[in-house]
Structures are given as C-alpha cells and as structure tokens.
Amino acid sequence: MLRIRGTTYHFRRIVPPALRSVLKQRELVKKNPWTGWSFENGPKTIRRGWSTQELQILMTGDWPRSSVPEITFNIITMIGAYSGLRLGEICHLRKEDLQTIDGIPRFVIQPHTDSGWSPNTDPEHGLFLFTPELIEAGLLELKDTTNGSYLIPAINTSKDGVRGTTFGRVFIVEKARLGLPAEIPFHSFRHSVSTQLRNVTADIREIWIDRLLGHEATHKSQGTSTYLSGITTANLRQTVEAISYPDDIFRKG
C-alpha cells in the first residue's frame, strides 16, 4: 500500500510498473513487486528480410485475389523490394510525388494536407531515387496512364482515409496461402534493402543507407545531421543502384 496525504492507495492495483520503479528509486515504497515480471501476451515475432527463394515463391505464385488486381500487387511489391518504402508510403504516392530532377526520376515522400495523411519519414529525408529496374518495369508511365491523383491504381481507401488497408490484409492472406512465414511481412522489404546495402562490396556509407530509408543518422551529432541533409544525388544514386535481385523474380511490364 502507498499512503499519500492521509489517503491509502493499493499499490498493486493503481500504480503502473514504470511508476513503481520511480517510487522505489525515491524510497517512497520498499520494493517494486513487478520487478522481473514479463507482461507479454504471447511470443514476439521477429521480423527479418526476405530470402531470394521466398521472394521467388511470392512473385511466381498464382494471384487469385480479385479485390487487388495482380498488376497492382506487382507494382507495390516491386517498389517495396527496390526501395524499402513502407506500404503506406507507397499506397499514398500521388502523381505529383513522382518527379524528375536533373534527369533523375525520384519519389518525394511528403505529407498530403488535403487528406490529412503524413508519412513516418522525416520530410527532410523523404526522397527516393528510382532504380533502373523500376524504370524498366514502366513506373514512369504510371503518371500518364492512371486516372485520378494517385499514382498506383486500384487501391481501396478505408473509411478513415487510409489507402492500402485491403492490400495489406490480402498480402498477409496470400503469403500464408503460399506457406511463407510470419517473420516476413511487407515491412520486411525494408530489412531486405538495409541488409543488401550493408553487405555489398561497393563503397556505400551507412549514413547514405540511413538517408535512403528515411532513418535518423546512426550516430547523431550536429555534424552528422548537417552532412545527412547535404548528401549528393550521386551518392544516393550509387546507393540505390546497389539494390539487386535475380532477373527472373519480378515480372516485367
């Protein structure tokens, strides 16, 4: 029990574990009864990157889901695999977000104030240069061939204005149908990209990878922050072009 200003409180019932630790440190209680306890409801799934074999199974399997056209599935999955962009960032891409600057096509991941959507990526770092594979697959043509303001067609919007909710559910169901494990959700493409870039033989600096994935710099300092915002397009291009997969995994067009 804890007595404050004449009132007795039952320690176990009302004080959360984090606060109990503070009270113990200040010697306001004798001990924290929850020390050493774990409140996890079940085993935690550890995400990891996709293996080449798993990606091959995903991309070559039949796609029976009429709620998400196969072409939409191919586009979204390929962008995720070659960029590490989050599913929400991909599904909310608009035509205005596909820009060509100095002859180099890129996605600009930015908030859309009219719909209230905002990315998890810091707007200062929300830039992704196209890989040659995405250009070859016809991503640039989407700007001229799709209707409406969004870049990728046939994505349902939920009642709260979130695009991609249906795709996310269908992706999980299809992955399970193909016998692929829970450790590789769509978000695992970020792990795949990060792992690939850290293992390539090319001279790619970790800070360039952080910049590409929209992460904060691994070693935070004023100098690092200044350099992060000033990374050249050539460095980013070298980084993104190091992402590669076997030629036969992704269907062209």
Side-chain angles (χ1 to χ4, degrees):
M1 293 185 297
L2 177 65
R3 190 172 181 82
I4 302 177
R5 294 184 180 180
T7 302
T8 300
Y9 296 90
H10 290 279
F11 185 82
R12 294 173 181 264
R13 294 180 182 174
I14 67 163
V15 185
L19 180 56
R20 292 169 194 149
S21 296
V22 174
L23 295 174
K24 174 65 172 61
Q25 292 172 3
R26 296 183 180 183
E27 298 183 351
L28 295 176
V29 297
K30 291 183 178 182
K31 67 176 183 178
N32 183 355
W34 299 111
T35 300
W37 283 62
S38 174
F39 294 91
E40 296 289 342
N41 292 327
K44 185 177 181 180
T45 300
I46 305 299
R47 293 172 178 168
R48 59 170 175 81
W50 289 74
S51 70
T52 300
Q53 181 181 11
E54 289 165 340
L55 191 54
Q56 184 88 41
I57 292 172
L58 178 70
M59 298 308 299
T60 58
D62 293 332
W63 183 256
R65 302 289 172 175
S66 58
S67 57
V68 176
E70 186 173 12
I71 182 64
T72 300
F73 163 75
N74 289 341
I75 292 171
I76 294 176
T77 304
M78 193 171 185
I79 293 176
Y82 276 103
S83 70
L85 291 176
R86 300 172 178 88
L87 178 58
E89 294 169 345
I90 297 172
C91 292
H92 283 87
L93 283 170
R94 297 192 182 188
K95 293 179 179 179
E96 66 198 62
D97 299 331
L98 197 165
Q99 303 177 12
T100 300
I101 303 174
D102 297 329
I104 301 175
R106 63 195 71 194
F107 288 135
V108 178
I109 310 302
Q110 58 188 339
H112 299 148
T113 55
D114 59 335
S115 66
W117 181 82
S118 181
N120 292 329
T121 301
D122 186 336
E124 181 182 357
H125 306 147
L127 177 70
F128 172 76
L129 276 61
F130 272 35
T131 64
E133 291 82 2
L134 290 178
I135 296 174
E136 182 183 353
L139 265 292
L140 294 180
E141 283 72 25
L142 286 177
K143 196 168 185 176
D144 300 321
T145 57
T146 57
N147 297 321
S149 59
Y150 287 102
L151 187 66
I152 300 175
I155 300 178
N156 293 332
T157 302
S158 64
K159 293 180 180 179
D160 54 357
V162 178
R163 295 189 94 228
T165 302
T166 299
F167 178 92
R169 289 197 299 264
V170 170
F171 187 88
I172 292 172
V173 171
E174 176 65 6
K175 189 168 62 69
R177 186 184 71 83
L178 294 172
L180 295 168
E183 291 83 4
I184 47 172
F186 191 92
H187 192 85
S188 284
F189 288 124
R190 290 179 66 79
H191 293 259
S192 299
V193 169
S194 178
T195 300
Q196 272 201 43
L197 294 178
R198 286 174 169 82
N199 288 332
V200 294
T201 56
D203 183 18
I204 295 177
R205 299 186 60 178
E206 188 165 348
I207 197 170
W208 301 352
I209 301 172
D210 289 336
R211 173 66 169 78
L212 180 69
L213 293 175
H215 290 158
E216 292 184 352
T218 305
H219 306 289
K220 295 183 67 176
S221 67
Q222 182 58 44
T224 297
S225 299
T226 300
Y227 180 73
L228 188 63
S229 63
I231 294 174
T232 66
T233 299
N235 290 336
L236 288 179
R237 188 170 190 173
Q238 177 186 348
T239 304
V240 74
E241 288 183 354
I243 303 170
S244 65
Y245 298 93
D247 292 338
D248 60 343
I249 284 185
F250 294 101
R251 301 162 184 163
K252 299 298 186 292

